[in-house]
Amino acid sequence: MDTFALVVVIGVALFFTYTNGFHDSANAIATSISTRALTPKAALAMAAVMNLAGAFLGSGVAQTVSKGLIEAPSGRAGMAVLFAALAGAIVWNLTTWYFGLPSSSSHALFGGLVGAALAGTSTVHWSGVIDKIIIPMVLSPAVGLVVGYLVMLLLMWMFRRANPHRAKRGFRVAQTVSAAGMALGHGLQDAQKTMGVVVMALTISGVQSGNGIPIWVKIVTALMLSLGTYAGGWRIMRTLGRKIIELDPPQGFASETTSAVILYVTSYIFKAPISTTHVITSSIMGVGATKRVKAVRWGVAKNIVLGWFITMPAAAGVAALMYGLVDLVFG
């Protein structure tokens, strides 16, 4: 029964990664498609490949997820916590995808972990949740907004005497590089979050001791994220690429470069799991504000921000309900 529970939890974790891929594929490529730097098919294929590569580039975020947030009990009770956490995250991912809201898959997962742990009377490391989740959740969009604004100002100053049409053509080419960098950062961040959960499942079930990530876990997680990315999230792509602000190639390049750098710094230096969605959305807003503050459609931005603050509590609530259901049926 415990082996069956382990297989089910790993299967659900991989399905979460798949939903994360199509939910968040928009983050890496929406700007490139909206500025016509890349065709949708080429952008999705490039994002899938870069997500796959990014998944193998580090393990700091996975270590934070597997040992820094909750202390799940061993055996079946721990499996129930992980199953409920993943189910809560998946339900929220699919709901926000259906309505085209770019909410954060990462925070849906963290909300699910905390909600299921509380429902299962497991230990929640609140210091870890605050330091590694809440503070980065607040800071990363603010940093994205400010840095995106400054990077765009710098580009405008550097190319102030350039021929506008030639500059735009050059930035279209440059966007293929910035979009690839963004997709690589997405793989680096988001694949590791699922790896962390799978490592927790393996540890809880007694299959392995310690927090090392087996190579097979890296491979299957990376492949599922890649497949999900190629499946594409057209609804969310429309919101990010067009509804917040009409982007041109220099703005697309500035927002993607800003986001990619923030993702690498948080992964390698702080080992903090942050939301790709938060970073790219705030970067687009910061870049757009250099045009005119009114050029950014703040109504859409406000809806997105509300979605961010609802994500963790909503996923936590669904995960707690799922835990109650699992406990009722199998307890």
Side-chain angles (χ1 to χ4, degrees):
M1 183 66 185
D2 284 350
T3 307
F4 175 73
L6 176 63
V7 170
V8 168
V9 167
I10 291 173
V12 175
L14 293 176
F15 180 65
F16 167 77
T17 311
Y18 181 81
T19 66
N20 185 349
F22 74 70
H23 193 275
D24 286 10
S25 60
N27 298 333
I29 56 177
T31 49
S32 298
I33 292 171
S34 72
T35 62
R36 296 181 177 82
L38 291 167
T39 63
K41 274 194 174 172
L44 282 168
M46 182 271 294
V49 170
M50 297 310 282
N51 267 319
L52 187 66
F56 292 93
L57 292 181
S59 60
V61 170
Q63 302 286 348
T64 299
V65 173
S66 64
K67 62 183 181 184
L69 304 178
I70 68 166
E71 202 73 57
S74 58
R76 204 175 298 172
M79 288 298 171
V81 168
L82 292 185
F83 175 82
L86 290 161
I90 289 167
V91 167
W92 187 249
N93 259 2
L94 293 176
T95 305
T96 52
W97 168 79
Y98 181 78
F99 290 107
L101 289 173
S103 80
S104 166
S105 297
S106 307
H107 291 127
L109 176 62
F110 303 139
L113 284 169
V114 171
L118 290 173
T121 62
S122 302
T123 306
V124 175
H125 299 306
W126 289 109
S127 61
V129 171
I130 291 165
D131 291 348
K132 297 291 186 183
I133 309 300
I134 306 295
I135 292 173
M137 182 174 87
V138 175
L139 283 183
S140 59
V143 172
L145 190 76
V146 173
V147 175
Y149 182 81
L150 294 174
V151 167
M152 192 63 214
L153 280 184
L154 180 65
L155 289 176
M156 285 161 71
W157 182 79
M158 285 169 66
F159 291 90
R160 68 193 181 282
R161 292 194 181 92
N163 178 299
H165 295 298
R166 194 175 295 164
K168 277 189 180 180
R169 248 196 334 267
F171 275 111
R172 272 209 179 95
V173 176
Q175 257 201 284
T176 58
V177 178
S178 60
M182 173 81 197
L184 195 72
H186 179 243
L188 178 65
Q189 271 277 344
D190 284 39
Q192 283 191 54
K193 290 158 193 167
T194 305
M195 288 178 204
V197 175
V198 173
V199 166
M200 278 175 77
L202 293 171
T203 309
I204 286 166
S205 62
V207 171
Q208 75 170 49
S209 56
N211 291 296
I213 307 169
I215 190 68
W216 69 266
V217 172
K218 289 189 176 188
I219 292 167
V220 293
T221 307
L223 283 172
M224 288 306 282
L225 187 68
S226 239
L227 284 170
T229 299
Y230 196 70
W234 301 104
R235 291 167 187 265
I236 292 166
M237 212 176 286
R238 207 163 47 240
T239 302
L240 273 182
R242 288 279 178 195
K243 285 188 183 171
I244 295 173
I245 183 166
E246 296 286 334
L247 291 168
D248 61 21
Q251 290 172 324
F253 175 80
S255 57
E256 287 166 350
T257 303
T258 299
S259 305
V261 169
I262 292 169
L263 290 172
Y264 299 144
V265 168
T266 50
S267 295
Y268 286 119
I269 297 175
F270 299 108
K271 296 179 173 49
I274 64 162
S275 165
T276 324
T277 314
H278 285 201
V279 173
I280 187 65
T281 310
S282 58
S283 299
I284 290 172
M285 287 185 218
V287 164
T290 58
K291 224 183 214 177
R292 284 190 323 279
V293 173
K294 285 184 179 173
V296 179
R297 297 186 184 112
W298 296 104
V300 175
K302 186 182 75 177
N303 291 345
I304 291 168
V305 171
L306 281 174
W308 293 346
F309 288 104
I310 294 166
T311 295
M312 279 186 77
V318 175
L321 286 172
M322 287 301 298
Y323 182 84
L325 196 65
V326 170
D327 196 44
L328 195 68
V329 175
F330 298 104

